[in-house]
Every structure is written in structure tokens, then in C-alpha cells.
């Protein structure tokens, strides 16, 4: 028997548990043993799942009970020129997806943006948040706790920042609901998305709060952070990076390349992304920002679940008088993503294909100054989302959506 089969047999006999195999063999053999067990128990043939191109050990901090790797097609869109606060120059955006027509759409949008001289983008707010919830006796003690926190931010900062050499505590915002006190800690986590960093730092600060106030910690995450759930607080206050990208497309480019007019696109945006979203009670007033955020996240090793917040985007489109008095209206377009949570160090960005994708962008690792690489990544993704909005809205205005997916997505 192979090492993997021998290891699998030790699980079958009950000697070993499935999640402890790496204590008894190298990571690749442990993964192979799990595939042996799965193939014996199911009709699955896991040959391709097991045909991953990296040492399983490099995924040790990213996965447990590893059996192999999911392989998602990855494409590239662009190039596009970005005039950002941190991003500067031409970028090609790697995107991983299984949705046919998405790459073509973003590629068309970036091509149109490039024809207009590129897009501008700025990170306008930055702060990764963690909001623990405490129990108190009643509102009197809640007020006492809030008052202490407001007067002792330095003590909380000292405790939190003792756990990290990069993170900086920016603010602690209190919220009281009856005998519950929520403290929303916000950090500058530099080039890390910062959820582990913020969670570890906040845990340390919570000990200080418990020591000096009548509050007792109930949960380190009180859901007012708000991580990976649709929440107005993220759409309004932001989480991670709040980033906006915009562009003015000349009228003739709209007509030649997008097969419609600025007025038609602007109307589609108003009735669909603004009025339709409002009527739907949506937190995102956009067409498919989540498509670009999700595909960029998969490609570059971001936390895929945070697409939830990344979809908190508002798209605006306005027809503007053309500089050429006889020309058709130009199109002003913007996308504002309130909570884009990205990093270029840490988490999944360390994995092989993900770090290679960051190399395509020239944004792997820590930036100089610290935080500038993550800022640039946020700006480039925002331009990608802008491209996706332009192309999809044009396809809707020109009635090409269904045919595009019939041609490319089937
Ligand atoms: C499909 C197109 C781009 C055709 O658009 P077109 O103008 O007919 O294409 P074209 O052949 O004239 O090419 C124009 C440009 O498109 C790009 N392009 C064109 N073909 C390709 C290709 N094969 N691979 C890569 N890039 C491609 C490329 O940039 C090309 O320029 P060039 O480089 O040739 O100068 C257009 O019809 C389109 O974008 N449709 C919209 C599709 C889309 O956005 N799908 C994703 C969203 S669907 C969804 O998930 C969200 C939704 C709809 O449910 C959300 C909601 O509710 O709104
Ligand atoms: N814990 C939780 O509740 C949650 C965790 N996650 C997961 O958290 C992970 C992301 O956490 P994150 O803290 O970003 O990553 P890591 O846990 O991988 O930590 C990244 C570390 O890199 C170090 N570092 C080196 N250079 C830099 C730089 N230029 N800027 C910032 N940090 C730098 C910092 O160490 P140091 O701090 O020592 O200076 C930082 O803490 C993802 O895997 C995600 O899935 C997601 C949601 C919730």
C-alpha cells in the first residue's frame, strides 16, 4: 500500500482522526489520504482536485482537512491607465471566474476607459473594524462604560497596538442597546486586509475594558463590525477601504464602441441601478460590482466571503454636454465602493497563483509607504468595477445582454 493508503487505513480503523493527518505525514500525503477515503466512500474521482501545482504545506494557514485545490479559470482584462492616489500607470487586471462573458465585458469597459485616457480613482476612507459586544447591568452602567472608553482611548490603543507592528488603532465608536454595549474598533491595517490583525488587537483591548468598566465581554465580534453580512453600517460608514473611480467617455466613443448613447446609458442607470435598487431595498445601487470584486478577490487571494461588503457600491452615470458643440453628449461615469476589504500581504495573498496574480499588477507584498499597495489594489479593482458597469449598462441599453451570454456563456 502507498503511504496515503496506509494513512487512510489508520483513519478507517479509528486510530487517527481526519483533521490530524498532517501530524503523521507530510501535507501532500495527508491530502492524498483524504482523497483515497473520499473516493472509496463516494463515486468521485479526485484526480484533478489532487493535481495542484504547489506544496500543500504552503496552504497550511489557509485551509484545514485539505484534499487538493479548486481550479477556477483566470483571465486578464485591460490594459487600463489609472490615475490614483496610490495606483499610477497602466494595469492589467487578473480575474478568476466561471461566468462566460464577464471577462469580455470588463475588457470592453477597460478598453473604452483607456480610449478616454484612463480613469481616476481615490481611496477616500480606510479602516478595518471589529466590534465586540459586552453585557452590562443596565443603561446606567452602559453610559459609564462608554464614558470610560471615550476618556481612555490611549490605554486601548496601547493594548491593541502591542499585538502588531503594523496596525494602528484609529478610533473606537460606542453603540448602546439596552444592556448591550458595542465598541466598533477601527484600524489602519496598512497592506493587510487586517481581519486577523484587528481581531487579535481588539481581543487585547477588550481585557482592558473589562478591567476598568462594569462591562463583560460576550462576543469578540458583535456583528456591528460588520464582517461578511449585508449591513447598512458598512455601506454608510465604510469598512476596509472606501474607494471611488470615475471617467468621462467622449460621446463618439460611446456610440462607436458601446453601440448606444450617453443618454441611453444614463437613463438605464437611473431606472435600474438607482430606482430599481431603491425599490428592491438594496444596499448596493449598482449592476454587478460583485462580479468584478468577486473575480478579482478569487484571483488575488482576498477573502471571498467579503464580496458581500464589496457589493456595497453606488454607480452614477450622467450625460454631459460634449465639448464639441455638434457632438453627441459625453458620458460621466463613477463607481463608489464603500467597503472594499483588500490586502496585498497576509491571508490568501501568500498562496502561489494568488501572489502571481498580484505580480501581474505589480502589487505583491508590502508597499512603500506601508498601505500603499493595498490602496493601489483597491483603486485598480474600483476601475475594473467601473468598466463592468459601463459595459453591462451599455449592453442593456443596446439590448445585447442575452445574446452576449448566449454567445460566450454557453
Ligand atoms: C460581450 C460583449 C463584450 C460584446 O461586445 P461587442 O461590442 O459586441 O464586442 P466587440 O466584438 O465589438 O469587441 C469590443 C470589445 O469587447 C471586448 N471583447 C469582446 N469580445 C471579447 C472576448 N471574447 N474576450 C475578451 N474581450 C472581448 C474587447 O475589449 C473588444 O475590444 P477590442 O479589444 O477588440 O478592441 C458585450 O456584449 C458585453 O459586454 N455584454 C455584457 C455582458 C456582461 O456584462 N455580463 C456580465 C454581467 S451578467 C450578470 O452576472 C449580472 C446581471 C446582469 O445579472 C446583473 C443585473 O441584474 O444587472
Ligand atoms: N480572525 C477573524 O475573525 C477573521 C479572519 N479572516 C481572515 O484573516 C486573514 C487576513 O487577516 P490579516 O490580518 O490581514 O492577515 P494575516 O493574519 O496573514 O496577518 C498579516 C500580517 O502581516 C504583517 N505585515 C507585514 N507587512 C505588512 C504590511 N505592509 N502591512 C500590514 N501588515 C503587514 C502584519 O504582522 P504584524 O501584525 O505582526 O505587524 C500583519 O498582521 C484572511 O485569511 C481572512 O480570511 C477573515 C475574517 C475574520
Amino acid at each position: 500500500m502507498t503511504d496515503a493508503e496506509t494513512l487512510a487505513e489508520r483513519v478507517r480503523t479509528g486510530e487517527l482522526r481526519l483533521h490530524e493527518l498532517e501530524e503523521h505525514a507530510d501535507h501532500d500525503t495527508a491530502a492524498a489520504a483524504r482523497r483515497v477515503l473520499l473516493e472509496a466512500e463516494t463515486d468521485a474521482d479526485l484526480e484533478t482536485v489532487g493535481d495542484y501545482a504547489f506544496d500543500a504545506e504552503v496552504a497550511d494557514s489557509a485551509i484545514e482537512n485539505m484534499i487538493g485545490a479548486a481550479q477556477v479559470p483566470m483571465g486578464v482584462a485591460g490594459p487600463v491607465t489609472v490615475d490614483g492616489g496610490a495606483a499610477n500607470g497602466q494595469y492589467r487586471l487578473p480575474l478568476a471566474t466561471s461566468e462566460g462573458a464577464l471577462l469580455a465585458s470588463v475588457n470592453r469597459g477597460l478598453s473604452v476607459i483607456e480610449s478616454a485616457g484612463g480613469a481616476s480613482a481615490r481611496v477616500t476612507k480606510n479602516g478595518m473594524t471589529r466590534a465586540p459586544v459586552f453585557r452590562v447591568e443596565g443603561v446606567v452602567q452602559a453610559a459609564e462604560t462608554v464614558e470610560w472608553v471615550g476618556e481612555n482611548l490611549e490605554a486601548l490603543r496601547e493594548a491593541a497596538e502591542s499585538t502588531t507592528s503594523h496596525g494602528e488603532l484609529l478610533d473606537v465608536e460606542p453603540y448602546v442597546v439596552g444592556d448591550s454595549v458595542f465598541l466598533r474598533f477601527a484600524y489602519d491595517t496598512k497592506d493587510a486586509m487586517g481581519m486577523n490583525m484587528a481581531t487579535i488587537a481588539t481581543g487585547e483591548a477588550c481585557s482592558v475594558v473589562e478591567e476598568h468598566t462594569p462591562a463583560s465581554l460576550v462576543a469578540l465580534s458583535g456583528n456591528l463590525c460588520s464582517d461578511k453580512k449585508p449591513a447598512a453600517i458598512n455601506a454608510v460608514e465604510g469598512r476596509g477601504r472606501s474607494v471611488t473611480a470615475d471617467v468621462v467617455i467622449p460621446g463618439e466613443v460611446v456610440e462607436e464602441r458601446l453601440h448606444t448613447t450617453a443618454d441611453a446609458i444614463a437613463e438605464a442607470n437611473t431606472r435600474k441601478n438607482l430606482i430599481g435598487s431603491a425599490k428592491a431595498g438594496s444596499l448596493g445601487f449598482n449592476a454587478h460590482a460583485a462580479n468584478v470584486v468577486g473575480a478579482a478577490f478569487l484571483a488575488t487571494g482576498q477573502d471571498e466571503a467579503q464580496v458581500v461588503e464589496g457589493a456595497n457600491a453606488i454607480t452614477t452615470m450622467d450625460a454631459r454636454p460634449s465639448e464639441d458643440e455638434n457632438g453627441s453628449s459625453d458620458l460621466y461615469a463613477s463607481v463608489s465602493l464603500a467597503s472594499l476589504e483588500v490586502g496585498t500581504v497576509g491571508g490568501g495573498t501568500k498562496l502561489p497563483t494568488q501572489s502571481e496574480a498580484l505580480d501581474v499588477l505589480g502589487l505583491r507584498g508590502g508597499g512603500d509607504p506601508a498601505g500603499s499597495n493595498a490602496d493601489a489594489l483597491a483603486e485598480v479593482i474600483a476601475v475594473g468595477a467601473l468598466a463592468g458597469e459601463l459595459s453591462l449598462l451599455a449592453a442593456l441599453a443596446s439590448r445585447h445582454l442575452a445574446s452576449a451570454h448566449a454567445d460566450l456563456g454557453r
Side-chain angles (χ1 to χ4, degrees):
M1 286 205 289
T2 65
D3 292 349
E5 288 164 341
T6 301
L7 207 54
E9 191 54 30
R10 294 172 69 185
V11 174
R12 282 198 197 94
T13 61
E15 177 196 350
L16 297 180
R17 289 187 292 180
L18 203 62
H19 68 269
E20 59 186 14
L21 300 187
E22 283 76 4
E23 297 167 22
H24 302 274
D26 64 80
H27 286 64
D28 290 297
T29 301
R34 295 190 185 100
R35 293 197 300 275
V36 166
L37 287 161
L38 275 176
E39 288 173 339
E41 291 170 15
T42 69
D43 292 334
D45 172 353
L46 299 174
E47 182 184 356
T48 309
V49 165
D51 186 19
Y52 50 89
F54 54 88
D55 291 337
E57 192 165 3
V58 304
D60 191 50
S61 63
I63 191 78
E64 296 76 38
N65 267 10
M66 181 169 168
I67 60 170
Q71 298 189 51
V72 180
M74 187 187 302
V76 68
V80 66
T81 301
V82 178
D83 165 24
N88 183 24
Q90 267 204 350
Y91 296 86
R92 290 183 187 272
L93 181 58
L95 297 170
T97 183
S98 56
E99 179 177 17
L102 177 56
L103 255 293
S105 183
V106 177
N107 204 31
R108 178 171 76 159
L110 291 179
S111 178
V112 164
I113 289 170
E114 191 65 0
S115 300
S120 300
R122 292 291 187 277
V123 171
T124 55
K125 189 175 180 182
N126 179 21
M128 177 47 69
T129 56
R130 181 52 90 198
V133 59
F134 299 82
R135 177 194 331 107
V136 290
E137 191 60 36
V139 67
V140 171
Q141 291 74 21
E144 184 186 325
T145 300
V146 168
E147 185 180 5
W148 186 90
V149 167
E151 293 169 354
N152 292 275
L153 190 60
E154 277 315 306
L156 296 177
R157 175 173 289 113
E158 185 180 343
E161 293 182 1
S162 70
T163 66
T164 170
S165 53
H166 289 81
E168 295 170 7
L169 178 62
L170 299 172
D171 188 25
V172 182
E173 187 69 31
Y175 297 82
V176 175
V177 180
D179 61 355
S180 295
V181 174
F182 298 82
L183 299 178
R184 192 170 193 246
F185 288 72
Y187 298 85
D188 179 352
T189 58
K190 307 299 183 186
D191 292 302
M193 177 272 277
M195 260 277 79
N196 278 339
M197 183 200 290
T199 301
I200 293 164
T202 303
E204 197 64 27
C206 285
S207 303
V208 176
V209 172
E210 287 194 299
E211 187 182 336
H212 294 282
T213 75
S216 299
L217 180 66
V218 174
L220 186 46
S221 168
N223 266 19
L224 199 140
C225 318
S226 171
D227 191 45
K228 304 177 181 177
K229 288 156 287 276
I233 196 165
N234 294 337
V236 175
E237 291 298 328
R239 187 172 197 254
R241 286 166 167 83
S242 300
V243 57
T244 290
D246 68 3
V247 66
V248 177
I249 311 286
E252 64 271 15
V253 174
V254 177
E255 291 177 357
E256 289 164 16
R257 307 284 295 283
L258 296 176
H259 319 304
T260 184
T261 66
D263 289 298
I265 290 180
E267 182 182 13
N269 187 67
T270 299
R271 294 182 188 273
K272 169 188 170 65
N273 284 346
L274 305 185
I275 298 171
S277 299
K279 183 64 177 173
S282 174
L283 283 176
F285 287 70
N286 64 82
H288 67 140
N291 259 338
V292 177
V293 171
F297 275 28
L298 266 181
T300 63
Q302 310 305 314
D303 186 325
E304 198 55 34
Q306 291 178 328
V307 178
V308 170
E309 301 96 301
N312 289 334
I314 298 178
T315 300
T316 70
M317 302 265 180
D318 296 297
R320 290 184 174 177
S322 169
E323 288 174 7
D324 169 1
E325 61 187 27
N326 300 319
S328 47
S329 298
D330 297 341
L331 178 68
Y332 172 78
S334 79
V335 170
S336 301
L337 299 107
S339 35
L340 193 65
E341 296 139 320
V342 291
T344 56
V345 300
T349 69
K350 300 178 289 196
L351 294 168
T353 65
Q354 291 78 352
S355 48
E356 288 172 13
L358 286 170
D359 281 339
V360 168
L361 288 158
L363 294 175
R364 182 202 295 208
D368 182 14
S372 56
N373 271 4
D375 282 346
L377 179 60
E379 290 171 341
V380 174
I381 291 174
V383 173
L386 178 62
E389 295 296 282
L390 276 168
S391 189
L392 175 53
L393 283 167
L396 290 167
S398 61
R399 304 190 181 184
H400 287 154
L401 177 63
S403 59
H405 282 261
D407 296 345
L408 292 171
R410 284 190 158 183

